[in-house]
Amino acid sequence: MFRLEINKDWKLHESLLRVEKEQWAYVHGLKDGWYTCSLPADVRMPLIKEGVIKDPVLADYCRESEWIEKRAWWFERTFDSSEVDRDEDIIELILEGLDSRSDIFINGQYIGSHYSVHYPFVYDIKEMIKEGENVITVRVTSGLETVSDQDLSELNHAVCLETDNGGKYRGDARRAFVRRPQYTVGWDWGPKVITCGITGGARLEGHKKIALREVCLHTEEVGEQAKLKLMLNVENLGFISSRDGAYKVRISYENKPVFEQTYDDRLFTSGYNYFEEEITLSDPELWWPNGYGKQPLYEVQVEAACEGSVEKYPAFSYGIRKLELDTSVLEGKDRKFQFVINNKPIYCKGGNWIPNDFIYARVTDEKYRVLIDEAAEANFNMLRIWGGGLYERDIFYRLCDEKGILVWHDFMFACSTYPDHRQWFREEMRREFDYQTKRLRSHCCLGLFCGTNEVHWLFNSTDNPKWGIEFTYEHQYGMYVANILSKEIIHANCPFIPYWNSSPYGGELPNDDTVGDIHHWQQAYMSKKMEERIEAKDYDKIKAKFVSEYGYVGPCCMETILEYMDGQPLCRTSEVWQMHNNVFEKDTVNTAIEKNYVDHADKLSLEDYITYAGMVHGMMYGYSLEAMRFKEQCYGGLFWMYNDAWGEVGWTIIDYYLRRKIAYYGVKRALAHRKFTMRLIDGSIILHGANDTPAPLSVKADFGYVSFDGTIRETKEIQLEVSPGERTYLLKEKLPDRDYKKGTIMLYIHDENIDNIWLRLDDMRNLAFEKSPVICTADHQEGSDRTLTVHSEAFAHGVHIKGNYRCSDNYFDLLPGETKTFTIKNAGQASLELTSVK
């Protein structure tokens, strides 16, 4: 076998849409107007490089390049016949990402069309390769041009558009018919940037006699021994002849083999041959989600041989773990929705993941590494890949394997009905599901496949009669692919991975508190009542078993704002600023600042606006994530959203330029692997402990009323015990009669690695405390990092180091008399400014 990467030395030409595939010779013959590029390539990438357009994620430049979707784009690349082994039985051209409608040619000969970005184009071109130079040509368009009003009428035009929410220039109903990244037509958190190009890699692969098409490994049992099941699919390329062969499996851990066996005398009949083997490993090192244990990974190598030909499957890492989704009955109609790993119930905590750029083809491996590292540092153990984006590149899943991040994986449907009454659409979905489930099924991070994002919820006639949708068995508007086809594929390819029909889904109607997951929007940030949008305590009312979406918006840091505004005036009422403001913001940020901190938020300096808005953003996420984890019958909380595709005042805690927002630290503290939380319920203080670690938590603490100025301290010492991997209620006491404007109940933990906490009973601006001096008592430098020890005699709110630094903690509260040590990354010998918000 051979593999030839052909990602470099491509060229690109633009044409009118009416220049169709039949005019290949005309385009190929053009001498001028070609751009050079490498794959992956969105057509905007060479256009930006050559100065033809400006980067659409800056200022309002996205509007200047909307014409791109109204053109056809021709990619060409040559290769020499000497670069391939023409003795192979087949030589396949593999194009991993075509966005979105494509016609493909070899040496001017049309070999096929492709209609989806979500699975690769594969074609045997051996017979078309000629001596000397060969030309690959790909004509690509957005695919939107093929969709008519007649098509949309079949869906009753039931497609969510941001123009309905005040999102000017965002949305395109035609997306429902095109298998492209849905978000690129514009969403509440970003502009319309219709992508187009060869957005994955390209290669030639040769195979002789056999091709090793699939290898699947999964864990059936764990304990003193791990029982694994291996499946491999060997294709015999002889159309009429059977062949004798063999295959070998090797599993290693830390470069030492733990299993190695050759299976001889196997018969390969023509076409596909499926083999299954049971593998038993003694004393296995088990894989755990982040916090619950380590993430040991084994290396798996599989090869097959036939009559002198050897096929090696790409080696991959594998984490041994057993995963289940427990939906057993709690009481009445209420059911659990709890992930169980290695027979241990897990609480899922994290956020929603979207594509990392509106030009997603240019996202680097390093950006993936930073984002997954930052998620792990923020104590995530789950990311949900949202259905309006992409099946991510392989590196994303490898990094999640390494860092212990479970993946809730939507299939790529979001906020629309879909034409699954059409046979061609069903066949496209079958190919997409088949490819992606086979590609991803052996990753230990894969926790769940989910049919859609909000399709069941938004378009049923009870929840949203405005769409006029009535489902029938022959016309299911997207229900067929989620309720039937996807389950059929999951059952065939990976029945060991749980499946859920949609998000939200469960109960008599989607978004029911009793079963499954919910999206908590209507009673929170998307409520018509401003007071519900900005009240943190309302999250204590949640009764759901799993919250997979909810959110709150906040600004980026000054450096990022300056970067994405690209020299435009920093006016918060300007059109450019509002373009980088979430569609659902609707003056919520200013109102929340005024509720919690100061009047006349619209008059604040930009620096103060960022600080106060960021503090509210962090408080809303921190309080809400605590509230969900506090609930005995809530088994997961994922906020919307973790990462961003451009810079804006929006949902994320990591911005487009990989800078942390203030809210990052609030989330990190709320999701700490060892965490205590207090709530006031019916006049009583309830103390809750969470210990996600594999070690018992046993710690002493001082508990009681303390005044903010530190002069009154009525505490007692208590012992706190939480078993490994458990959540539990630890204490219940009547709230004493004290002045809760001048103090509150506080918990001082006798372990500097666990956060002290205080009982929040009112908004910050209603609490009576002065801005307390924060003293730095020690400053130690090690390499480029600085470790500070700080102290305050009285309560200090939002203690932080100014500037865009990565810190082990920042924007934290100090209780009266508390001393805290934290680290500032890459601070060097800089003059650090330590301050607080109030």
Side-chain angles (χ1 to χ4, degrees):
M1 65 178 293
F2 78 87
R3 178 184 175 116
L4 175 66
E5 301 287 346
I6 50 172
N7 293 324
K8 296 182 179 180
D9 302 320
W10 287 77
K11 59 181 184 176
L12 170 70
H13 205 288
E14 168 198 349
S15 77
L16 297 174
L17 268 176
R18 60 180 170 80
V19 180
E20 294 276 3
K21 64 178 182 289
E22 292 79 12
Q23 293 165 280
W24 171 86
Y26 161 72
V27 176
H28 177 69
L30 294 172
K31 302 299 183 185
D32 300 321
W34 292 91
Y35 303 96
T36 59
C37 62
S38 295
L39 304 184
D42 186 286
V43 299
R44 282 183 173 82
M45 292 160 65
L47 296 182
I48 293 170
K49 181 179 179 182
E50 296 298 326
V52 178
I53 64 171
K54 296 177 181 178
D55 195 324
V57 304
L58 301 177
D60 57 353
Y61 306 149
C62 56
R63 302 227 54 225
E64 297 177 5
S65 59
E66 288 183 357
W67 56 271
I68 284 172
E69 69 174 275
K70 298 180 175 68
R71 299 288 193 275
W73 299 90
W74 299 74
F75 288 82
E76 278 203 354
R77 205 251 195 211
T78 62
F79 69 93
D80 194 273
S81 59
S82 64
E83 297 180 83
V84 301
D85 183 356
R86 299 181 72 188
D87 288 334
E88 302 281 27
D89 290 337
I90 60 173
I91 299 175
E92 292 177 325
L93 169 65
I94 301 172
L95 301 170
E96 292 180 334
L98 293 172
D99 186 358
S100 288
R101 187 193 182 282
S102 308
D103 303 310
I104 301 94
F105 308 78
I106 300 296
N107 297 324
Q109 182 175 344
Y110 169 72
I111 59 172
S113 296
H114 196 70
Y115 305 98
S116 175
V117 73
H118 297 310
Y119 68 93
F121 174 84
V122 181
Y123 197 91
D124 175 20
I125 63 170
K126 179 183 175 181
E127 300 305 317
M128 301 169 192
I129 297 175
K130 63 183 182 180
E131 287 291 338
E133 186 177 88
N134 293 263
V135 181
I136 302 169
T137 309
V138 183
R139 177 187 183 270
V140 188
T141 69
S142 73
L144 296 171
E145 76 280 359
T146 65
V147 184
S148 68
D149 285 343
Q150 177 64 38
D151 293 328
L152 293 174
S153 71
E154 296 179 27
L155 302 181
N156 202 25
H157 301 269
V159 182
C160 293
L161 305 175
E162 294 308 329
T163 50
D164 299 336
N165 301 316
K168 195 176 181 182
Y169 311 125
R170 297 181 183 183
D172 192 321
R174 295 176 296 171
R175 67 179 172 88
F177 282 79
V178 183
R179 294 311 293 157
R180 62 166 20 264
Q182 302 281 278
Y183 80 103
T184 60
V185 305
W187 226 263
D188 64 271
W189 37 266
K192 181 178 183 180
V193 181
I194 302 297
T195 49
C196 188
I198 304 178
T199 56
R203 66 184 184 271
L204 298 174
E205 283 189 3
H207 304 276
K208 189 174 184 65
K209 295 185 179 177
I210 58 171
L212 183 49
R213 296 299 190 186
E214 302 174 57
V215 173
C216 172
L217 187 63
H218 76 273
T219 305
E220 294 194 313
E221 294 182 25
V222 294
E224 292 183 1
Q225 292 183 325
K227 292 185 178 180
L228 312 181
K229 179 165 283 188
L230 176 80
M231 185 282 292
L232 64 159
N233 175 10
V234 181
E235 182 180 4
N236 174 3
L237 299 174
F239 293 109
I240 60 173
S241 303
S242 66
R243 288 170 168 155
D244 296 327
Y247 50 85
K248 182 168 68 174
V249 180
R250 177 188 173 98
I251 301 177
S252 304
Y253 181 65
E254 296 182 338
N255 297 318
K256 297 178 181 178
V258 296
F259 178 87
E260 187 167 8
Q261 186 165 338
T262 299
Y263 301 86
D264 293 316
D265 300 324
R266 292 303 192 256
L267 178 65
F268 299 154
T269 59
S270 300
Y272 284 179
N273 294 268
Y274 294 95
F275 299 96
E276 291 188 349
E277 306 292 348
E278 291 188 352
I279 297 172
T280 300
L281 299 182
S282 299
D283 301 317
E285 297 288 339
L286 299 184
W287 183 96
W288 292 94
N290 185 28
Y292 283 86
K294 297 180 180 180
Q295 293 79 45
L297 295 175
Y298 291 74
E299 183 181 58
V300 181
Q301 297 169 298
V302 180
E303 64 180 54
C306 178
E307 299 177 359
S309 293
V310 177
E311 284 271 316
K312 292 186 177 181
Y313 195 82
F316 62 94
S317 296
Y318 181 75
I320 297 174
R321 62 99 181 99
K322 184 180 179 182
L323 181 145
E324 301 167 281
L325 179 63
D326 182 359
T327 57
S328 59
V329 173
L330 286 163
E331 184 179 1
K333 292 187 176 182
D334 284 25
R335 289 178 177 267
K336 291 183 178 180
F337 195 87
Q338 185 169 41
F339 288 83
V340 180
I341 308 292
N342 301 329
N343 305 314
K344 177 70 179 178
I346 299 295
Y347 181 85
C348 296
K349 50 186 186 176
N352 284 254
W353 176 279
I354 64 164
N356 295 319
D357 200 323
F358 272 93
I359 304 177
Y360 64 88
R362 67 182 175 184
V363 177
T364 64
D365 287 357
E366 180 60 22
K367 192 165 193 178
Y368 281 102
R369 288 189 183 95
V370 171
L371 284 167
I372 301 302
D373 283 349
E374 290 283 72
E377 186 173 333
N379 302 309
F380 285 27
N381 63 26
M382 177 173 277
L383 284 166
R384 172 180 172 241
I385 293 185
W386 168 72
L390 293 158
Y391 303 94
E392 283 292 352
R393 301 212 309 261
D394 289 346
I395 188 172
F396 171 86
Y397 306 98
R398 292 200 304 268
L399 291 169
C400 287
D401 288 344
E402 292 172 11
K403 294 295 183 178
I405 309 293
L406 288 166
V407 176
W408 170 310
H409 209 310
D410 286 3
F411 288 134
M412 294 300 117
F413 304 93
C415 306
S416 175
T417 53
Y418 288 91
D420 57 0
H421 58 290
R422 291 189 174 186
Q423 190 60 34
W424 70 264
F425 192 86
R426 292 187 179 189
E427 289 306 312
E428 281 294 314
M429 294 308 98
R430 182 177 293 278
R431 295 187 190 101
E432 177 182 317
F433 293 165
D434 185 63
Y435 171 75
Q436 294 295 349
T437 54
K438 288 176 178 176
R439 178 172 80 100
L440 301 176
R441 60 190 172 186
S442 293
H443 283 282
C444 51
C445 68
L446 223 301
L448 176 139
F449 280 119
C450 178
T452 79
N453 173 78
E454 298 186 343
V455 176
H456 291 65
W457 179 39
L458 291 181
F459 300 101
N460 73 79
S461 59
T462 302
D463 283 324
N464 290 290
K466 68 175 183 176
W467 296 108
I469 296 298
E470 294 293 341
F471 300 109
T472 67
Y473 203 75
E474 277 65 42
H475 202 152
Q476 297 192 33
Y477 294 95
M479 298 297 105
Y480 173 82
V481 293
N483 296 346
I484 297 176
L485 180 58
S486 53
K487 292 182 179 180
E488 178 185 329
I489 300 297
I490 293 284
H491 180 72
N493 291 348
C494 49
F496 45 87
I497 297 177
Y499 178 78
W500 198 242
N501 291 55
S502 187
S503 181
Y505 181 78
E508 185 173 350
L509 289 171
N511 227 31
D512 194 315
D513 284 340
T514 60
V515 180
D517 69 311
I518 71 160
H519 290 188
H520 188 70
W521 288 116
Q522 269 62 35
Q523 300 80 30
Y525 200 90
M526 293 183 188
S527 171
K528 294 180 180 179
K529 299 177 181 178
M530 179 62 78
E531 60 269 24
E532 291 185 345
R533 298 166 70 91
I534 60 178
E535 180 51 72
K537 291 181 182 177
D538 284 352
Y539 288 96
D540 290 322
K541 302 174 184 177
I542 289 176
K543 297 179 181 179
K545 307 305 179 288
F546 198 108
V547 182
S548 54
E549 246 194 58
Y550 80 99
Y552 191 87
V553 302
C556 305
C557 66
M558 183 69 77
E559 293 91 334
T560 287
I561 292 171
L562 290 171
E563 198 158 350
Y564 70 66
M565 291 295 283
D566 196 40
Q568 300 294 318
L570 300 181
C571 173
R572 301 205 300 274
T573 59
S574 72
E575 186 171 343
V576 176
W577 179 282
Q578 290 304 320
M579 181 169 278
H580 290 265
N581 203 13
N582 190 274
V583 165
F584 290 103
E585 196 276 339
K586 303 184 188 303
D587 205 38
T588 304
V589 172
N590 280 351
T591 308
I593 290 173
E594 292 167 357
K595 171 180 167 61
N596 288 279
Y597 289 105
V598 296
D599 295 329
H600 308 298
D602 58 322
K603 306 297 183 185
L604 290 171
S605 68
L606 183 54
E607 183 178 1
D608 286 344
Y609 165 82
I610 292 169
T611 299
Y612 287 125
M615 290 298 295
V616 176
H617 193 201
M619 181 271 293
M620 293 294 287
Y621 275 155
Y623 191 96
S624 57
L625 290 167
E626 287 179 358
M628 295 166 201
R629 201 174 179 191
F630 184 90
K631 299 281 187 178
E632 185 178 16
Q633 293 184 358
C634 183
Y635 305 103
L638 309 177
F639 67 90
W640 180 269
M641 56 198 190
Y642 171 55
N643 59 316
D644 222 329
W646 81 330
E648 73 154 13
V649 179
W651 311 109
T652 64
I653 63 169
I654 297 284
D655 72 33
Y656 172 73
Y657 300 101
L658 302 181
R659 299 183 180 111
R660 295 175 175 178
K661 293 185 181 181
I662 292 172
Y664 177 90
Y665 297 100
V667 168
K668 180 180 179 180
R669 289 190 293 271
L671 300 184
H673 299 318
R674 296 189 298 168
K675 170 71 177 174
F676 295 102
T677 303
M678 280 189 288
R679 288 291 187 267
L680 182 65
I681 301 176
D682 298 329
S684 293
I685 309 156
I686 309 293
L687 177 62
H688 179 269
N691 176 24
D692 294 345
T693 74
L697 173 56
S698 177
V699 66
K700 288 183 169 60
D702 294 330
F703 169 81
Y705 177 86
V706 181
S707 62
F708 290 126
D709 63 9
T711 59
I712 301 173
R713 186 170 176 135
E714 301 171 350
T715 63
K716 62 182 178 181
E717 186 174 274
I718 57 175
Q719 179 71 32
L720 304 174
E721 308 275 351
V722 187
S723 299
E726 296 295 329
R727 295 178 292 149
T728 187
Y729 298 110
L730 297 164
L731 176 149
K732 180 178 181 180
E733 287 191 4
K734 195 73 174 175
L735 183 71
D737 185 12
R738 297 292 184 271
D739 187 342
Y740 288 99
K741 296 295 183 183
K742 295 183 178 180
T744 190
I745 305 299
M746 301 187 186
L747 184 72
Y748 293 78
I749 300 152
H750 299 182
D751 185 332
E752 63 182 10
N753 296 311
I754 304 176
D755 292 326
N756 296 331
I757 60 171
W758 58 282
L759 183 63
R760 180 185 292 271
L761 295 173
D762 208 337
D763 298 326
M764 292 306 304
R765 68 177 301 165
N766 297 328
L767 302 179
F769 64 92
E770 300 297 325
K771 187 170 182 177
S772 175
V774 179
I775 308 301
C776 179
T777 60
D779 183 345
H780 174 69
Q781 183 169 345
E782 184 172 342
S784 62
D785 298 341
R786 297 261 291 279
T787 298
L788 304 187
T789 300
V790 297
H791 175 82
S792 179
E793 287 298 318
F795 182 79
H797 177 56
V799 178
H800 62 280
I801 294 293
K802 280 194 171 184
N804 183 38
Y805 292 104
R806 272 184 165 84
C807 304
S808 59
D809 200 359
N810 213 11
Y811 294 93
F812 52 82
D813 296 336
L814 282 178
L815 306 192
E818 181 180 359
T819 298
K820 182 181 178 75
T821 299
F822 66 108
T823 300
I824 305 98
K825 297 287 186 181
N826 299 315
Q829 297 182 8
S831 178
L832 300 176
E833 184 178 352
L834 176 67
T835 186
S836 62
V837 173
K838 182 178 177 182

